[in-house]
């Protein structure tokens, strides 16, 4: 379960996120909505364990993430949290396969080429497994970043605005894909969006609009 308590984040004097209480049960889905600047990316970075909030507690399956040392938190993230950020951060000097192998290696799990192949098949990128990221279309890059996020079967899968640059059909496909990936491994799925097309796919919705003003 994800449990956020009294989370506040300031970058400078402005409050970017203020959330008194948020719980998401294991295996559940949550859609985080809000206008640009409402704090969606900030919240997802906090949930991913890469941005320590100014105040508050984040517990993921009973582990208080920001009480861990940075190296323990990195290890925890590698095994338990899969992230698809807006900037995909694929390693340009490595092929698709090697980017995925690196994700396994970094998490300290056994490099498993068979699993990578199966995943690429499911994501329809088998013909690109030996290509480099800059040889891929945006959609293909995004599927590689989804593959990388799910390759270690994380208990928490996060995606920041995964559909913002996609047309309606591809947007539907990506949401369905993320849901399928999360369901298969029983992962909690948290997606952020300002894209109203996505709303109909989720029953559990958190709207961040106006939250910063409330905190001031
Ligand atoms: P969203 O993803 O909903 O567009 P963000 O979380 O990116 O919102 O931003 C929330 C607020 O925090 C905005 O006012 C933004 O300008 C500010 N902000 C985001 N990142 C930084 C940063 N690295 N330094 C200073 N302010 C930031
Ligand atoms: Mg954002």
């Amino acid at each position: 379960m994800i449990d956020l308590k009294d989370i506040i984040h300031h970058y400078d004097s402005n409050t970017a996120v203020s959330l008194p209480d948020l719980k998401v049960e294991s295996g559940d889905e949550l859609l985080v909505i809000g206008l640009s600047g409402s704090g969606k990316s900030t919240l997802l970075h906090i949930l991913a364990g890469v941005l320590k909030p100014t105040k508050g507690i984040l517990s993921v399956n009973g582990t208080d993430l920001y009480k861990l040392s940075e190296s323990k938190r990195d290890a925890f993230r590698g095994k338990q949290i899969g992230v698809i950020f807006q900037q995909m951060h694929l390693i340009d000097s490595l092929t698709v396969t090697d980017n995925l192998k690196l994700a396994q290696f970094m998490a300290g799990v056994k490099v498993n080429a068979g699993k990578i192949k199966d995943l690429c098949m499911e994501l329809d990128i088998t013909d690109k497994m030996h290509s480099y990221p800059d040889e891929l279309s945006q959609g293909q890059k995004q599927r590689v970043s989804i593959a990388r996020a799910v390759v270690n079967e994380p208990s928490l899968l996060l995606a920041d605005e995964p559909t913002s640059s996609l047309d309606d059909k591809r947007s539907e496909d990506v949401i369905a894909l993320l849901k399928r990936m999360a369901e298969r491994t029983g992962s909690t799925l948290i997606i952020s969006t300002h894209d109203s097309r996505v709303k109909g796919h989720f029953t559990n919705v958190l709207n961040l609009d106006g939250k910063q003003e409330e905190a001031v």
Side-chain angles (χ1 to χ4, degrees):
M1 177 165 98
I2 315 301
D3 194 354
L4 288 156
K5 273 251 158 0
D6 301 321
I7 292 280
I8 290 186
H9 191 71
H10 306 282
Y11 287 103
D12 23 58
S13 56
N14 296 324
T15 305
V17 162
S18 166
L19 274 180
D21 190 26
L22 174 70
K23 287 190 178 66
V24 189
E25 296 292 336
S26 297
D28 274 6
E29 297 171 344
L30 173 71
L31 181 69
V32 178
I33 59 168
L35 298 170
S36 176
S38 61
K40 301 180 297 296
S41 296
T42 302
L43 176 59
L44 264 76
H45 282 77
I46 292 171
L47 286 166
V50 295
L51 178 68
K52 186 177 178 16
T54 314
K55 261 183 62 188
I57 296 170
L58 164 63
S59 138
V60 178
N61 299 331
T63 298
D64 185 341
L65 216 60
Y66 290 102
K67 278 248 171 75
L68 298 177
S69 67
E70 217 162 294
S71 61
K72 287 215 168 108
R73 191 158 71 236
D74 286 345
F76 184 92
R77 183 186 323 109
K79 286 212 176 77
Q80 304 237 24
I81 306 178
V83 193
I84 302 141
F85 284 128
Q86 280 172 293
Q87 304 299 325
M88 291 184 249
H89 303 299
L90 297 172
I91 311 234
D92 288 332
S93 57
L94 296 178
T95 62
V96 167
T97 303
D98 288 345
N99 265 281
L100 298 177
K101 282 184 177 169
L102 182 67
Q104 293 177 324
F105 176 78
M106 294 296 279
V109 303
K110 206 163 173 283
V111 170
N112 181 337
K115 188 170 184 181
I116 288 174
K117 192 155 185 235
D118 290 346
L119 199 53
C120 288
M121 211 173 284
E122 184 161 7
L123 293 170
D124 197 23
I125 43 176
T126 6
D127 55 334
K128 300 292 174 187
M129 285 177 70
H130 303 294
S131 303
Y132 291 88
D134 61 10
E135 297 167 338
L136 308 179
S137 72
Q138 275 306 106
Q140 288 163 342
K141 265 193 210 175
Q142 191 183 36
R143 275 176 279 150
V144 175
S145 77
I146 293 173
R148 186 182 53 182
V150 301
V151 71
N152 299 324
E153 300 178 3
S155 58
L156 173 60
L157 181 58
L158 302 169
D160 194 10
E161 305 239 20
T163 63
S164 54
S165 58
L166 304 176
D167 60 35
D168 287 359
K169 164 81 175 76
R170 284 187 188 277
S171 165
E172 294 264 329
D173 289 349
V174 165
I175 295 299
L177 183 61
L178 289 168
K179 284 184 171 239
R180 193 165 79 234
M181 293 287 158
E183 252 162 47
R184 203 182 51 195
T185 49
S187 314
T188 306
L189 176 64
I190 302 183
I191 295 183
S192 83
T193 190
H194 71 270
D195 180 351
S196 53
R197 295 172 301 183
V198 179
K199 270 189 239 169
H201 297 274
F202 289 81
T203 47
N204 199 5
V205 177
L206 170 70
N207 188 344
L208 291 182
D209 288 332
K211 296 281 189 211
Q212 301 97 319
E213 288 82 353
E214 280 169 28
V216 178

